[in-house]
Amino acid sequence: MAFYDEWKKEPLNKLYLSSFLKQEEESVLPLLTGTPEEIREIIILLLSIPVENYIDSIEDINYEIESHMIPQFSNFEHAISTVALAVESHDEDLGFMELGGIIMGSKMAGAREKYGENQAKIAKECSYVYFEMKNRKNIVKLTSLGKVSTCLELNMNLELCKRLLLRNELVRKLLFEAKKGKIEYNKIASCLKPSTLERRRSNVKYIVLEILKNSKYENLNNNIEAVYIYNSFCC
């Protein structure tokens, strides 16, 4: 918690913002293990800082984007809200299949597992859950932040997740490059096959648009949108 105690003294200090965005251990651990009161103080701090300040603190990523860094989900609200609520409301261990069954209710085991996995991975990106291996199966567990998130109203939860998802490597890379001009997403995410790039296109676009919405950087989307349309900006 020392990291956030110091950050509160200088909320716009780019050193703290950068450490948060890069998910340095001192910034992540309190989100996973903090007390409810500590978590509430962290949420207040994160929400008090405009999205623009986070974007201004993004540094270039000097390594290649890998497939696990590229978001994939089916329903964003399920990912940032329903996953944590489902885990909280069930005493039994929930794997991806059980979680998917609770959220989507499909009779197809494969569909339930994939749905549960994709939504849980976004919740993990937000530090709401972590995965614990048990009997060769990933069990979805709530973090301290995830537990408190279940008490947040949807709009506050969305604003919080926008800041948490700015820690994603691909999102940071896109926004860093978009501030310089037009970008070619297919080169940034060249680790993926074209078919996978296409499947994830709308997910990445959705997250970027949500983050930029109502900020002074909303027009950054023009540098990305042109690639969506004309240069196969896919995800």
Side-chain angles (χ1 to χ4, degrees):
M1 188 62 187
F3 171 81
Y4 289 97
D5 286 337
E6 291 301 311
W7 189 3
K8 281 188 290 186
K9 298 174 184 177
E10 299 180 86
L12 302 185
N13 188 316
K14 286 190 176 183
L15 291 177
Y16 296 111
L17 284 157
S18 177
S19 295
F20 172 78
L21 292 169
K22 291 186 287 188
Q23 299 193 65
E24 293 180 356
E25 184 177 2
E26 60 184 356
S27 75
V28 175
L29 190 59
L31 304 180
L32 308 182
T33 63
T35 67
E37 182 56 37
E38 288 172 338
I39 294 298
R40 284 191 284 270
E41 290 180 10
I42 291 172
I43 291 173
I44 291 171
L45 171 63
L46 296 179
L47 291 177
S48 72
I49 301 170
V51 167
E52 290 90 342
N53 290 91
Y54 292 92
I55 294 174
D56 285 338
S57 302
I58 294 175
E59 299 173 3
D60 195 12
I61 293 175
N62 56 6
Y63 50 84
E64 290 189 2
I65 297 296
E66 299 178 7
S67 60
H68 68 87
M69 303 172 183
I70 302 176
Q72 183 177 9
F73 58 90
S74 301
N75 184 299
F76 193 65
E77 184 176 334
H78 283 175
I80 69 170
S81 180
T82 313
V83 167
L85 289 168
V87 176
E88 182 188 50
S89 62
H90 287 76
D91 293 329
E92 70 273 21
D93 288 340
L94 297 181
F96 295 148
M97 185 179 298
E98 293 82 9
L99 180 62
I102 292 167
I103 297 174
M104 71 177 298
S106 172
K107 294 182 179 180
M108 299 175 62
R112 292 199 304 271
E113 176 137 16
K114 193 61 179 176
Y115 193 91
E117 178 182 2
N118 288 343
Q119 295 2 278
K121 283 183 176 178
I122 294 296
K124 186 173 183 289
E125 286 269 359
C126 294
S127 295
Y128 282 4
V129 303
Y130 65 95
F131 302 153
E132 181 180 290
M133 187 62 71
K134 189 174 182 179
N135 297 323
R136 296 186 176 183
K137 182 171 75 171
N138 276 309
I139 303 301
V140 184
K141 299 281 190 178
L142 282 180
T143 65
S144 295
L145 179 60
K147 292 175 184 176
V148 174
S149 77
T150 62
C151 301
L152 301 177
E153 62 95 14
L154 185 58
N155 188 60
M156 181 179 289
N157 191 26
L158 173 59
E159 287 298 319
L160 178 61
C161 287
K162 285 165 61 171
R163 290 154 174 80
L164 294 165
L165 287 170
L166 271 164
R167 302 177 303 167
N168 175 272
E169 295 91 342
L170 174 65
V171 171
R172 285 190 283 133
K173 182 67 173 178
L174 288 175
L175 294 179
F176 181 86
E177 296 297 337
K179 286 178 72 177
K180 297 189 294 183
K182 295 289 191 293
I183 61 174
E184 294 186 52
Y185 176 85
N186 56 329
K187 291 183 178 180
I188 294 175
S190 59
C191 60
L192 295 181
K193 296 178 180 179
S195 58
T196 307
L197 285 168
E198 176 59 29
R199 284 199 305 273
R200 299 193 188 182
R201 177 185 63 80
S202 60
N203 291 167
V204 174
K205 181 177 179 181
Y206 185 95
I207 289 174
V208 169
L209 288 173
E210 281 295 327
I211 289 171
L212 296 178
K213 188 185 298 181
N214 299 323
S215 78
K216 74 175 185 180
Y217 286 123
E218 192 161 12
N219 287 336
L220 275 186
N221 180 60
N222 294 334
N223 286 349
I224 302 173
E225 190 70 13
V227 184
Y228 284 136
I229 297 172
Y230 302 114
N231 294 325
S232 299
F233 184 153
C234 311
C235 37

